[in-house]
Amino acid sequence: MAGEPLLRLDKLSTHYIAGGGLRVVRAVDEVSLSVNAGETLGIVGESGSGKSTLALTIMRVLPMAAKIVGGHMWFEGEDLVQKTDAEMREIRGKRIAMVLQDPMASLNPLFSIGNQIAEPIRVHERVSRASAWERARGLLKAVRIPSPETRVKQFPHEMSGGMRQRIVGAIGMSCEPRLLIADEPTTSLDLTIQAQYLNLLRDLQREHGLALIFITHNLGIVAKMCDQLAVMYAGRLVEAGPVSRIFNAPEHPYTQALLNSIPRMGERDQRLTAIAGQPPDLSALPPGCAFAQRCPQAFHRCRSEAPPVLHPRPDHTLRCWLSVDAPAERPRVLAGAAAV
Amino acid sequence: MGRYITRRAGYCLLSLFLLSLTIFFFVRVTGDPAALLVEPGASAEDIAAIHHQFGLDRPLWVQYGLFMWTLFHGDLGQSFYYQTPVFDLYMSRLPNSLMLAAVAMIFSLIVGIPSGILASVRVGRFWDSAGKMFALLGLSLPSFWVGLVLILVFSVYLKWLPSSGAGTPLHLLMPAFALGWYFAAAHMRLTRSSMLDVLGSEYIKLARLKGLPEALVIAKHAFKNALIPVITLAGINLVIMVNVAVVVETVFAWPGIGRLLYEGITFRDFPVVQGVVLLGGAMIVLVNLLVDILYATIDPRIRLER
Amino acid sequence: MSTPSDVVVLPSPSPTPRRAVRRLAIRFGDFPVIPTAILLAVALVAIFANQLAPHNPEIGSLTARFKPPFWQTGGSMKYILGTDQLGRDVLSRLIFGARVSMVVGIMAVLVAGVVGTVLGILSGYLGGWVDQVIMRVTDTWLALPALTFAIFLAAIVGPSMWNIVIILGVTYWTRYARVIRGEVLSLREREFVRLAVVAGCSKWSIMARHILPNVVNSAIVLGSLMLGVVIITEATLSFLGVGVPPPQPAWGLMLSDGKQGLMVGYWWLTVFPGLCIMLMVLSANLIGDWLRVKLDPQLRQL
């Protein structure tokens, strides 16, 4: 892609700081990645790998204990990290929107659907109540909710789970954002509704040309939806690149393990390899690679030094010593390290 | 929902039964009820007469039946001191008590809700700690002492407010403050924790993600949801206020139910004491039922679940 | 706002030894030193009241009535905090009043705690009709305003210090029963209890040896929180004339006596006993709050 991407994160770090700075959880640690206009980026990782914190960091809606401690977020030429709270409020919901995990809990039970969809439109575009509600009806139709005329006046508890999720989607789309972040938007839905919802998102994306960031731990969804993939582990980005390349030739051992852990059609005998061990405590990370303890291919250097960020190809990011030191040289390195 | 209300009403009846049983039982287990039922200074013949009149010489279950029979007829006995039915006395004092409780409630909500919201929005910072301290003080100061100090300052030294009695709105100020003080602390605590619950919810996160100004997030999305438990508690507390106002009403000589109870104690007017406690308990049991029903009608989720 | 609230510059981490010290400080640093000191002081005063009090608390001299504290005109060092309407020394009465508050407070909490804990365990562990009966009674009694109920009981049994202890115990055991029952319900499903059942332990030995030790923490936390409530209720009953009978020196009784001098400005009769009650109750509440956070995370909602 030519030109500047829509969103480019540059060594972004967000830490949870507790106990007056005594306990620091590095939820997002020097993450750099980018999303182009109209493209879909999938971010995968185990729970606790920092994906959700990363999304909240982009939105700048962090819990009180979490702080952005470094890096930049370039969005349409502006650095979101430098924005004041008031400036950020004008971007949030308008130019970047986000859809949360739980559709049951993310709608306010005491306000009507129309009220909640019209709300961002009224705040950001300062239009009249009547026209905001008119747009709310249009949005309900766009997310394929039947008889929007009556639905706008109803309350969240009168809707099914799938409907509520589509309403949350409608709220996200209400001000026609340039970028939509979806944080595990389908985990609470059953499979058919999940598929419908994903199709809906893809259609909306095509119609409006918006960029999508898809946060998930479901690699099936990534395969179906995404152009680019970023793999996170323990707050760090370990591998990123086009989905097709990473699926066909994963280079980071964690990505490999992740891909091995999904069952494949037709390969009935293939063993499902769960990844042994536990992810590390983010407040006491080992000095080297965070994955070293669970990595089947780890060698001495992995445990002592954090791997550098590599770009084996222009669109491929990798953080692993294996690509620096070819396997054949490994014993030498080991011996050399021992000599030191 | 019909079944839910029926069950609640059943519990309520059971509670009323247990209440009457408790009071009946305690009066009889702690000594000769005749000693409580005769006027102070009665002779042995009087006591014997009382025994017969109230059926105290009959088996316990017959006695209980008699006790309940008179209760069902709204007969709580005759006050020794006033020589009028206890029920009439109670009803004549109730408006005063309700007025005092209402003013105290308004005061406690005006203080408790905003300070609770402030504490929740500034959780862990100065205003939160200040609020916590205020709540602890509210729970640690006996209301009658607050009342006495108020009299000392505003009546004795400053001579701004009347120290006792009823009649003008000025008479209400100090008793309402003394009574509302404790409840202000309770309402603040609940508002704070309820706000914290709501502020941690996904729909507040979504409201922020929509780019709404923080003031709107708090005022529209958080406040309304957080208020539901506070209002419920306030409803129950209003009735509790009527029943715990005894010390405050004593200190300020406010002619309410609490004062009636105090008079009953000092004049050894047992029917009055028993009547006030019985009616107070019944009132609270009924209000709890009312709240349950209200909840079931207001909150659609309860309606669907049960 | 000029600087965004969620963006910070990270301070450089402090060296490890100091960190360790601060870690300790975090664990014990919020220990309520002053409240503990106050409660200990009150306890010592209560124990050594005979040695500490300068005068007999129950006998005054009628020639020395309504003396103000020593720093006011008319006051003297003989009666440091003044005298009451019978010429009794306020300080001595306060000192002996500490004894009443301590004894009533601790004993009533113990009575309520033992009764409530036992019934809560029975109710939670045995279930069935035992549970139904105990919980129905608990709910009904909890619904009654505790103060009115205590006044009623006090009015029928007559005033005495030990009656007050029993009355407060009878009034407040329900709060223990509710909380303890809830705890037992979850304990009952735990692995070690199930193992004990499988191993053939009897119900009673399971309740005594496996359940009881696990609810003691909650009972202690609840007890420290109840201490303040109980002391206030005792003062209120005494104030209304159904508590500790005169001439015994109880703080609530002193406030009741103080009413007589209030309108003519004998403030010391009202202010000092009230301050004593407040200090003691506030201390008990602060300690209770601290214990609740440290000992029993489950009770935090309380």
Side-chain angles (χ1 to χ4, degrees):
Chain A
M1 281 262 177
E4 180 73 356
L6 182 68
L7 175 74
R8 185 166 62 81
L9 307 184
D10 181 18
K11 294 196 170 170
L12 187 67
S13 299
T14 301
H15 296 177
Y16 284 84
I17 299 165
L22 274 183
R23 203 177 129 84
V24 175
V25 175
R26 295 158 178 260
V28 176
D29 201 12
E30 303 209 340
V31 168
S32 303
L33 49 80
S34 54
V35 190
N36 293 315
E39 224 180 40
T40 304
L41 167 72
I43 300 180
V44 295
E46 291 164 298
S47 41
S49 60
K51 349 180 259 289
S52 290
T53 308
L54 179 62
L56 294 178
T57 306
I58 297 171
M59 299 302 291
R60 291 267 310 272
V61 183
L62 287 163
M64 202 126 62
K67 303 284 177 197
I68 301 172
V69 294
H72 302 278
M73 300 189 277
W74 299 102
F75 178 74
E76 297 189 318
E78 298 164 274
D79 186 1
L80 299 183
V81 175
Q82 303 299 325
K83 294 278 174 196
T84 64
D85 289 348
E87 288 169 335
M88 201 54 220
R89 199 146 53 227
E90 281 168 22
I91 295 171
R92 223 181 273 146
K94 168 84 180 137
R95 288 159 67 194
I96 310 178
M98 184 165 165
V99 178
L100 292 169
Q101 294 184 14
D102 186 353
M104 302 295 172
S106 43
L107 292 170
N108 191 325
L110 298 185
F111 296 99
S112 68
I113 299 300
N115 186 328
Q116 297 189 55
I117 302 178
E119 201 173 27
I121 304 172
R122 295 190 65 194
V123 166
H124 289 298
E125 301 181 9
R126 297 176 205 283
V127 296
S128 71
R129 197 188 116 91
S131 62
W133 275 67
E134 191 47 52
R135 284 202 18 213
R137 279 186 281 270
L139 282 159
L140 282 182
K141 196 180 278 170
V143 296
R144 292 166 207 158
I145 283 180
S147 56
E149 310 299 324
T150 51
R151 287 291 184 186
V152 276
K153 296 190 202 97
Q154 291 187 329
F155 287 82
H157 66 87
E158 296 171 90
M159 313 271 161
S160 70
M163 269 180 172
R164 280 194 241 185
Q165 186 57 288
R166 277 178 279 160
I167 288 161
V168 172
I171 291 173
M173 296 299 300
S174 59
C175 293
E176 302 191 344
R178 303 284 293 128
L179 171 66
L180 181 70
I181 303 173
D183 185 1
E184 313 228 8
T186 55
T187 35
S188 56
L189 304 178
D190 61 57
L191 283 176
T192 349
I193 300 187
Q194 192 173 321
Q196 279 174 12
Y197 188 68
L198 293 175
N199 287 335
L200 174 73
L201 277 181
R202 216 162 41 182
D203 293 353
L204 289 172
Q205 178 183 28
R206 221 168 278 146
E207 280 164 38
H208 299 275
L210 82 163
L212 262 176
I213 294 181
F214 229 100
I215 292 170
T216 182
H217 52 243
N218 185 333
L219 288 167
I221 291 179
V222 173
K224 181 180 154 106
M225 300 286 293
C226 301
D227 310 305
Q228 301 284 324
L229 175 61
V231 182
M232 283 188 73
Y233 184 79
R236 294 172 188 170
L237 189 77
V238 293
E239 186 164 10
V243 169
S244 53
R245 163 158 324 111
I246 294 185
F247 268 53
N248 289 325
E251 291 192 23
H252 196 283
Y254 178 65
T255 316
Q256 292 165 357
L258 215 58
L259 288 168
N260 276 334
S261 68
I262 43 171
R264 274 174 221 183
M265 263 333 175
E267 295 177 40
R268 207 172 298 168
D269 288 340
Q270 193 188 5
R271 272 191 58 198
L272 264 180
T273 47
I275 307 171
Q278 292 291 316
D281 179 1
L282 291 181
S283 64
L285 283 176
C289 172
F291 188 59
Q293 288 152 317
R294 300 166 77 186
C295 181
Q297 302 171 57
F299 58 105
H300 186 271
R301 196 169 188 179
C302 298
R303 296 197 173 84
S304 56
E305 259 178 278
V309 179
L310 306 169
H311 296 283
R313 279 159 283 284
D315 57 355
H316 192 185
T317 307
L318 189 61
R319 240 185 139 166
C320 184
W321 281 119
L322 287 169
S323 312
V324 181
D325 306 312
E329 297 172 24
R330 249 187 286 159
R332 194 171 56 81
V333 174
L334 241 175
V340 170
Chain B
M1 182 163 96
R3 256 190 65 202
Y4 169 69
I5 288 178
T6 320
R7 206 176 60 199
R8 285 282 123 198
Y11 277 153
C12 169
L13 274 180
L14 188 63
S15 288
L16 286 175
F17 167 70
L18 280 169
L19 174 70
S20 69
L21 205 63
T22 305
I23 284 173
F24 174 84
F25 174 76
F26 271 111
V27 170
R28 273 145 192 88
V29 86
T30 50
D32 184 3
L36 295 167
L37 289 171
V38 292
E39 298 182 41
S43 64
E45 294 91 76
D46 288 342
I47 291 178
I50 290 282
H51 261 272
H52 188 71
Q53 187 191 334
F54 288 89
L56 294 176
D57 41 7
R58 296 162 74 178
L60 262 184
W61 62 270
V62 178
Q63 286 185 37
Y64 181 71
L66 280 170
F67 174 78
M68 286 309 283
W69 181 254
T70 49
L71 274 189
F72 270 125
H73 289 80
D75 181 7
L76 290 167
Q78 188 97 355
S79 159
F80 298 147
Y81 182 78
Y82 288 100
Q83 296 295 332
T84 45
V86 170
F87 191 75
D88 296 353
L89 266 179
Y90 194 89
M91 283 304 157
S92 72
R93 299 289 186 92
L94 189 61
N96 283 332
S97 274
L98 285 176
M99 201 208 292
L100 174 61
V103 178
M105 178 56 69
I106 292 169
F107 162 75
S108 78
L109 292 179
I110 287 177
V111 173
I113 293 179
S115 55
I117 291 176
L118 188 65
S120 69
V121 174
R122 297 263 177 275
V123 64
R125 311 219 204 123
F126 173 76
W127 282 111
D128 190 23
S129 321
K132 216 177 263 173
M133 229 27 237
F134 156 74
L136 258 175
L137 268 181
L139 301 175
S140 304
L141 289 179
S143 57
F144 58 97
W145 189 59
V146 173
L148 291 171
V149 171
L150 285 176
I151 291 178
L152 202 56
V153 173
F154 290 102
S155 301
V156 178
Y157 288 112
L158 296 174
K159 298 191 169 44
W160 286 354
L161 295 169
S163 69
S164 64
T168 67
L170 283 184
H171 281 101
L172 261 171
L173 282 182
M174 288 198 293
F177 182 88
L179 182 58
W181 170 260
Y182 170 89
F183 291 92
H187 291 150
M188 186 217 128
R189 276 192 164 186
L190 185 68
T191 306
R192 177 180 178 274
S193 67
S194 167
M195 275 293 283
L196 285 181
D197 271 359
V198 171
L199 285 177
S201 72
E202 289 288 291
Y203 56 82
I204 291 299
K205 209 191 218 175
L206 186 68
R208 289 191 174 131
L209 288 171
K210 283 175 178 175
L212 307 187
E214 191 63 16
L216 189 65
V217 173
I218 304 280
K220 180 180 171 183
H221 286 274
F223 183 63
K224 211 173 158 186
N225 286 282
L227 216 54
I228 294 173
V230 180
I231 293 301
T232 312
L233 181 78
I236 298 173
N237 274 349
L238 190 72
V239 178
I240 291 185
M241 270 182 178
V242 170
N243 287 287
V244 299
V246 50
V247 268
V248 169
E249 290 185 4
T250 305
V251 168
F252 291 99
W254 180 262
I257 287 162
R259 175 88 191 156
L260 183 65
L261 179 61
Y262 179 69
E263 287 166 4
I265 298 168
T266 38
F267 301 141
R268 293 193 48 74
D269 197 345
F270 179 73
V272 167
V273 175
Q274 177 178 271
V276 169
V277 175
L278 260 174
L279 287 175
M283 212 148 93
I284 287 172
V285 171
L286 288 175
V287 162
N288 275 325
L289 174 70
L290 205 69
V291 165
D292 281 343
I293 294 175
L294 262 180
Y295 244 143
T297 31
I298 289 174
D299 197 325
R301 285 162 291 183
I302 292 182
R303 204 162 52 207
L304 294 175
E305 270 170 32
R306 316 269 169 168
Chain C
M1 241 192 280
S2 54
T3 40
S5 61
D6 54 351
V7 181
V8 296
V9 179
L10 194 68
S12 55
S14 46
T16 1
R18 264 192 62 201
R19 274 189 158 202
V21 172
R22 285 183 62 189
R23 248 178 232 277
L24 268 176
I26 278 183
R27 273 183 82 178
F28 296 102
D30 55 347
F31 177 76
V33 179
I34 297 173
T36 312
I38 289 176
L39 272 200
L40 276 178
V42 175
L44 286 176
V45 164
I47 293 168
F48 298 108
N50 290 324
Q51 285 73 33
L52 285 171
H55 298 275
N56 184 318
E58 295 182 12
I59 299 165
S61 70
L62 289 174
T63 52
R65 298 166 68 220
F66 293 125
K67 288 257 188 252
F70 73 92
W71 62 86
Q72 281 196 335
T73 43
S76 68
M77 285 308 285
K78 192 177 174 201
Y79 302 108
I80 294 178
L81 296 181
T83 60
D84 67 3
Q85 79 281 6
L86 296 176
R88 296 174 295 195
D89 180 36
V90 169
L91 178 64
S92 304
R93 284 180 71 74
L94 285 176
I95 288 173
F96 276 91
R99 187 176 272 184
V100 172
S101 284
M102 267 288 170
V103 170
V104 171
I106 290 172
M107 290 310 292
V109 165
L110 273 181
V111 170
V114 169
V115 173
T117 304
V118 168
L119 289 177
I121 290 177
L122 288 177
S123 176
Y125 191 76
L126 296 179
W129 65 268
V130 179
D131 186 33
Q132 282 293 319
V133 169
I134 293 176
M135 279 304 116
R136 279 293 103 203
V137 173
T138 305
D139 282 350
T140 309
W141 286 23
L142 268 178
L144 283 175
L147 182 63
T148 318
F149 190 48
I151 289 172
F152 168 74
L153 292 179
I156 56 175
V157 297
S160 98
M161 197 170 93
W162 293 106
N163 278 355
I164 294 301
V165 169
I166 303 293
I167 287 164
L168 294 176
V170 165
T171 308
Y172 287 114
W173 66 267
T174 48
R175 309 200 174 184
Y176 282 90
R178 258 257 157 262
V179 173
I180 299 295
R181 173 181 174 268
E183 295 245 305
V184 174
L185 283 184
S186 74
L187 279 174
R188 201 169 62 165
E189 303 305 319
R190 293 269 293 277
E191 207 61 26
F192 64 92
V193 175
R194 298 201 157 172
L195 273 176
V197 175
V198 174
C201 298
S202 78
K203 279 181 194 167
W204 305 105
S205 84
I206 290 174
M207 279 190 269
R209 303 234 315 263
H210 297 280
I211 304 277
L212 182 65
N214 283 291
V215 297
V216 163
N217 262 5
S218 302
I220 289 174
V221 172
L222 211 53
S224 63
L225 289 172
M226 288 300 299
L227 187 63
V229 176
V230 164
I231 288 170
I232 286 194
T233 311
E234 180 269 317
T236 306
L237 292 179
S238 299
F239 179 77
L240 291 174
V242 287
V244 178
Q248 264 197 65
W251 293 340
L253 205 56
M254 292 176 71
L255 283 171
S256 174
D257 291 342
K259 261 193 315 185
Q260 300 174 17
L262 190 66
M263 291 315 293
V264 277
Y266 298 151
W267 59 271
W268 57 93
L269 299 180
T270 295
V271 170
F272 292 132
L275 279 180
C276 287
I277 297 174
M278 185 192 83
L279 272 181
M280 196 164 159
V281 174
L282 197 58
S283 305
N285 281 340
L286 284 169
I287 293 171
D289 259 2
W290 183 80
L291 278 175
R292 171 169 63 185
V293 175
K294 292 289 146 174
L295 278 185
D296 198 334
Q298 289 175 18
L299 279 172
R300 266 179 214 177
Q301 338 283 354
L302 218 95

